Amino acid sequence: MTDLLYTEIENDLRASVREVLEDKAPWTAVLAGTEKDEPYDAGLWKAVAGQLGCAGLPVPEDLGGAGAGWRETAVVMEELGRAVAPVPFLTSSVMATAALLAAGERELLARLAAGERTAVLAVPFGTAPGADPAADPDAPTVSGGALTGEVASVADGLAADVLLVPAGGGLYAVDAADARRTAVTSLDMTRRLADVAFGGAPARLVAQGPDAVRAALVTGAALLASEQLGIAERCLDDTVAYVKTRYQFGRQIGSYQALKHRLADLWTAVTQARAAARYAASCATAGDADLPVAAAVAQAHCSAVAVKAAEECVQMHGGIGFTWEHPAHLYLKRAKADSIALGSPDRHRAALAVLAGLPPA
Amino acid sequence: MSTAPPDAEELGRRVDAFLAEHDPAATEPLEFLRARFDAGLAWVHYPQGHGGLDAPRALQPGVDRRFREAGAPTNQPERNGIGLGMAAPTILAFGTEEQKRRFLRPLWTGEEIWCQLFSEPGAGSDLAALGTRAVRDGDHWIVNGQKVWTSMAHEARYAILVTRTDPDVPKHRGMTYFVCDMTAPGVEVRPLRQITGEAEFNEVFLTDVRIPDEHRLGEIGDGWRVSTTTLMNERVAIGGAAAPREGGMIGVVARLWRDRPELRTAGLHDALLRLWVETEAARLTGERLRQQLAVGKPGPEGSAAKLAFADINQRTSGLELELLGDDGLRYDDWTMRRPSEVDFTRRSPGYRYLRAKGNSIEGGTSEILRNIIAERVLGLPGEIRVDKDVPWKDLPK
Ligand SMILES: Cc1cc2nc3c(=O)[nH]c(=O)nc-3n(C[C@H](O)[C@H](O)[C@H](O)COP(=O)(O)OP(=O)(O)OC[C@H]3O[C@@H](n4cnc5c(N)ncnc54)[C@H](O)[C@@H]3O)c2cc1C
């Protein structure tokens, strides 16, 4: 059976990422960042990608990466989730990187690994694994090396230097400067969407066929579960801490069974989310044939747990949990957006129906 | 003479040597099991001389597998769950050398089945409220009281029993723990018919039962601490074995779904997939727990396992009935039977649905388990106690 625990190296990595995030991305700074026009926190990204070398974790060493794997990358995702960190790690270091690794692309990959540039897969963020966006009739078209068309709701679309666009049965790289990008007011204020339009933009073929895009989507889904785990853990921790200090009717509110039992259930769900997320990350690392099932299980389960944790966090904080001045809303927005990102739980269950041989009525 | 604990390789050699000397096909099963115990290959993490070799607990599944593959007789663990899961670890922790020597071998071989005389009509979740009295009489104790919901008492030769020996102190301090001979005069077992129609558990009446002081486990007045060991092991005993994907209840329903397309509806499809995902996540959690145990870092996930298991089993067995429609309306057998094991797989779907209702009550209710997780894992404040410093005899009952 796959190893579902954390290695010592992973725990060390977690500690250093957490330290940087506590220093550079306390929630007050994250909240303040949402009022700015910058699409992400460039200073934070520099620290995570450059100083800590996280951007190239799964990239082989000969391409300037760390030659680690998706399991280590998943640990970074957990920590970024805990901090609702506004950096393009999922989109560039996980999804675009997975696509380029599958495509055997070298030069751009090396630059992403070094944290010099960022790329995103230009698909609507809700696209589930198994989809073939290049075959979509609404997908951009290519003609004579020029790309034309529109893609809506691209996560970190405004942040990226390079757009990886599924079109014409393949995957094309477009310099972001050659696209027209419009910021979208997004539910998740810490991972913003953009609408992207191409009017004959110069495009370079990166991969033929759907495999590179598939790799990006399934790896993204597998690792998004770790971000959801981090969100859920953080919401649970904060809520448990709060109910111990808040007194009503002369008692700590955490002494009331109505809350204790819900928190016990939430802890149980988070415990299971951890196992599901670790299994998905391990399958991604090993290139295990079970990855599609593992990713779908992890998404169907962890999406719901993260949303539940954030919702309980708001509720058990009472009025203060409903204010802009409390971080709960940042988590709720990220959790809910994540549950739709890369396929809603219902879509993942539908995928499982096929994978597990449980056909619909 | 003690030697260093064996590793996996050494254990493998010992199993091979044992099998070479005791051909499973030619040896009488009981003789085989006794010899296996004496060779320290029963529960390898137990001490030498008591069925084990002081080996790491994680090596037990490997040993069991080798015996299984060799076609060795089993000790039918499904018939003696309380003995193996609860009585044995408690005897190991609190028993004298003599008690361990007397009880552990026939317990492990299955010659002697055990039951648990804990719950009483007035003391279930609140076990420490129990009132069964044990009064000292020279080298003996005289026990009077009533126990209830005692699983398999009708099969049991021995029982773990907790009693009140001092009613004048607060409830947790006045309890004493014994091994009770179920064949002793004054022990009366009456079947208690349950929701499924059969009588898997019983009422047990104890009238002037004489228990020798050698059958006391732990100190006088220390019964609560001893019971806590039993209860902790009870929770660990659940969810111990590795299960394949679609093992257990979800596999039953998934097969039904595949075999009977005419039963399918959109709503049931959704319900099935939700439970499939939850079961798989719970299975992976169990796997993670085992991996933690194997590296000697047990986590608190064990408590999550029982809670989740009860909930998932109940919902999945409920789904099976709904899916079956008309067939779900039929039951297999209401006659009052006295089973010797809980037979979840060979009975009807209706039985499974009803029996699963016990999963959130037996071995501690789901509500009590939530209290335990909230207080011990999350560190939330304990329940308001109105009974703490009150002598047991003055408590409202
Ligand atoms: C199939 C089966 C087999 C059993 N086998 C055995 C056995 O072999 N030996 C044995 O000794 N016992 C056995 N039992 C008994 C079992 O341990 C008890 O039934 C159980 O501990 C609950 O106690 P109770 O029935 O008195 O319920 P109560 O304690 O009266 O509980 C009633 C309800 O109140 C809730 N409740 C109680 N206290 C609290 C609290 N503090 N906070 C919140 N909710 C609370 C409970 O969760 C439950 O929902 C068995 C039970 C079953 C169903």
Side-chain angles (χ1 to χ4, degrees):
Chain A
M1 181 73 193
T2 333
D3 181 7
L4 302 177
L5 307 181
Y6 296 101
T7 65
E8 221 163 284
I9 295 176
E10 285 166 355
N11 284 330
D12 291 347
L13 174 65
R14 175 194 306 289
S16 37
V17 174
R18 189 175 293 188
E19 197 182 325
V20 165
L21 291 170
E22 277 169 359
D23 179 38
K24 295 206 156 37
W27 73 266
T28 42
V30 174
L31 181 64
T34 64
E35 315 274 6
K36 296 183 191 146
D37 277 341
E38 279 93 66
Y40 64 98
D41 183 337
L44 179 65
W45 176 242
K46 219 169 168 185
V48 172
Q51 272 154 251
L52 289 171
C54 289
L57 276 177
V59 176
E61 284 172 33
D62 64 338
L63 290 171
W70 296 114
R71 279 171 56 96
E72 289 83 351
T73 314
V75 170
V76 178
M77 288 288 290
E78 286 182 27
E79 291 305 311
L80 294 173
R82 281 189 79 93
V84 278
V87 287
F89 188 83
L90 170 69
T91 46
S92 185
S93 306
V94 176
M95 294 176 64
T97 298
L100 297 174
L101 280 170
E105 210 278 355
R106 296 180 64 88
E107 199 202 295
L108 179 55
L109 196 53
R111 303 190 69 179
L112 296 191
E116 288 165 21
R117 309 195 84 191
T118 64
V120 299
L121 184 71
V123 297
F125 199 29
T127 308
D132 184 1
D136 192 308
D138 294 334
T141 54
V142 212
S143 155
L147 201 93
T148 305
E150 292 171 10
V151 187
S153 304
V154 177
D156 290 330
L158 224 50
D161 305 306
V162 177
L163 303 166
L164 299 174
V165 192
L171 185 65
Y172 289 83
V174 175
D175 198 317
D178 294 326
R180 197 172 62 251
R181 296 180 289 171
T182 317
V184 172
T185 307
S186 311
L187 174 67
D188 178 2
M189 303 184 301
T190 58
R191 183 185 283 133
R192 288 184 245 179
L193 308 176
D195 293 337
V196 186
F198 309 97
R204 175 171 68 85
L205 182 69
V206 171
Q208 206 50 273
D211 290 354
V213 176
R214 290 222 168 113
L217 293 172
V218 76
T219 310
L223 267 76
L224 181 61
S226 289
E227 175 172 303
Q228 291 165 324
L229 170 64
I231 295 169
E233 282 180 342
R234 174 67 181 267
C235 289
L236 176 62
D237 289 353
D238 283 4
T239 309
V240 167
Y242 182 72
V243 301
K244 286 180 193 171
T245 55
R246 173 75 173 167
Y247 279 73
Q248 291 293 284
F249 303 98
R251 283 163 65 180
Q252 289 151 285
I253 57 172
S255 70
Y256 292 108
Q257 267 192 3
L259 302 193
K260 281 169 84 166
H261 284 193
R262 273 156 59 186
L263 287 167
D265 284 339
L266 190 55
W267 176 80
T268 302
V270 170
T271 299
Q272 295 182 339
R274 188 175 301 116
R278 274 275 94 181
Y279 181 60
S282 295
C283 284
T285 301
D288 195 306
D290 206 30
L291 176 59
V293 172
V297 166
Q299 275 305 294
H301 190 72
C302 299
S303 292
V305 174
V307 171
K308 182 82 186 160
E311 288 175 349
E312 291 287 62
C313 181
V314 170
Q315 176 66 21
M316 293 193 203
H317 277 81
I320 208 166
F322 197 68
T323 65
W324 195 261
E325 281 74 32
H326 191 276
H329 68 103
L330 295 171
Y331 288 91
L332 180 64
K333 291 162 189 173
R334 173 70 73 87
K336 193 67 189 176
D338 275 2
S339 79
I340 296 160
L342 298 167
S344 65
D346 196 49
R347 285 186 189 279
H348 288 287
R349 286 191 290 269
L352 275 174
V354 177
L355 293 164
L358 297 166
Chain B
M1 259 295 289
S2 285
T3 47
D7 58 11
E9 217 174 290
E10 167 64 16
L11 277 178
R13 271 197 297 277
R14 288 193 189 212
V15 174
D16 290 343
F18 181 88
L19 288 167
E21 233 179 281
H22 304 82
D23 177 1
T27 316
E28 199 269 317
L30 187 55
E31 194 187 311
F32 184 97
L33 290 169
R34 286 174 174 167
R36 181 174 160 187
F37 184 93
D38 294 339
L41 296 169
W43 34 44
V44 297
H45 55 291
Y46 270 43
Q48 302 186 25
H50 296 305
L53 295 165
D54 296 300
R57 191 186 190 130
L59 299 179
Q60 183 70 34
V63 169
D64 288 341
R65 181 163 24 84
R66 286 176 99 105
F67 275 105
R68 201 166 46 243
E69 285 165 2
T74 82
N75 60 348
Q76 295 184 284
E78 65 282 0
R79 290 193 63 225
N80 201 12
I82 289 171
L84 292 162
M86 284 111 90
T90 311
I91 293 167
L92 186 67
F94 289 95
T96 60
E97 271 307 301
E98 171 55 23
Q99 287 169 336
K100 291 180 203 167
R101 204 196 50 71
R102 166 63 189 83
F103 294 121
L104 290 177
R105 189 166 97 152
L107 186 163
W108 186 82
T109 60
E111 286 162 84
E112 290 173 353
I113 302 293
W114 286 65
C115 69
Q116 182 182 20
L117 294 172
F118 277 27
S119 304
E120 298 181 7
S125 300
D126 186 9
L127 177 62
L130 60 83
T132 291
R133 282 283 275 142
V135 178
R136 185 98 193 216
D137 179 26
D139 310 342
H140 280 75
W141 295 80
I142 314 282
V143 180
N144 279 284
Q146 186 201 336
K147 297 288 178 175
V148 73
W149 306 302
T150 317
S151 304
M152 302 303 161
H154 52 287
E155 299 262 307
R157 172 59 215 276
Y158 282 104
I160 39 179
L161 165 69
V162 52
T163 65
R164 178 135 327 264
T165 42
D166 187 351
D168 297 321
V169 294
K171 61 182 185 179
H172 289 97
R173 282 193 256 140
M175 300 162 71
T176 303
Y177 197 118
F178 296 97
V179 169
C180 176
D181 182 345
M182 293 296 285
T183 65
V187 177
E188 192 201 337
V189 176
R190 289 190 205 155
L192 186 54
R193 202 173 180 190
Q194 66 206 40
I195 200 166
T196 55
E198 64 184 13
E200 181 194 302
F201 53 31
N202 304 268
E203 296 179 290
V204 178
F205 296 85
L206 304 163
T207 313
D208 293 331
V209 178
R210 289 177 70 80
I211 297 182
D213 190 54
E214 299 98 79
H215 283 190
R216 173 165 50 80
L217 270 183
E219 300 303 315
I220 298 170
D222 205 20
W224 178 250
R225 196 161 67 97
V226 186
S227 306
T228 307
T229 299
T230 308
L231 297 176
M232 265 162 45
N233 278 289
E234 183 168 24
R235 281 171 214 125
V236 170
I238 296 167
R245 182 174 286 164
E246 281 196 13
M249 223 18 249
I250 195 70
V252 172
V253 184
R255 278 190 292 283
L256 181 64
W257 183 270
R258 293 184 188 112
D259 294 347
R260 306 273 304 270
E262 78 281 9
L263 299 175
R264 297 173 190 165
T265 69
L268 291 174
H269 190 233
D270 185 56
L272 171 63
L273 289 168
R274 283 173 190 269
L275 283 165
W276 199 94
V277 168
E278 277 188 61
T279 306
E280 177 66 5
R283 184 182 79 85
L284 291 168
T285 309
E287 184 56 38
R288 237 187 139 244
L289 179 65
R290 270 184 297 283
Q291 292 182 6
Q292 285 175 322
L293 283 171
V295 297
K297 290 183 191 147
E301 280 86 346
S303 337
K306 183 183 184 290
L307 193 58
F309 165 77
D311 178 49
I312 293 174
N313 220 35
Q314 290 176 348
R315 285 190 289 136
T316 312
S317 58
L319 177 67
E320 187 189 12
L321 280 193
E322 277 183 62
L323 179 56
L324 279 166
D326 286 346
D327 287 347
L329 297 171
R330 304 161 84 97
Y331 195 67
D332 58 347
D333 185 5
W334 289 118
T335 52
M336 216 272 284
R337 313 191 307 167
R338 312 226 64 201
S340 48
E341 61 182 278
V342 179
D343 190 354
F344 223 75
T345 49
R346 280 165 298 198
R347 293 284 309 267
S348 70
Y351 172 86
R352 285 195 275 276
Y353 171 72
L354 294 172
R355 182 59 186 80
K357 293 290 167 269
N359 296 155
S360 54
I361 303 171
E362 59 195 332
T365 68
S366 290
E367 288 75 24
I368 296 298
L369 216 54
R370 288 187 181 98
N371 281 351
I372 290 172
I373 292 171
E375 290 167 24
R376 311 235 177 103
V377 182
L378 301 177
L380 294 175
E383 293 303 297
I384 302 285
R385 298 299 297 264
V386 296
D387 56 354
K388 213 167 161 219
D389 300 314
V390 184
W392 175 82
K393 64 176 168 38
D394 300 331
L395 287 174
K397 295 189 183 78

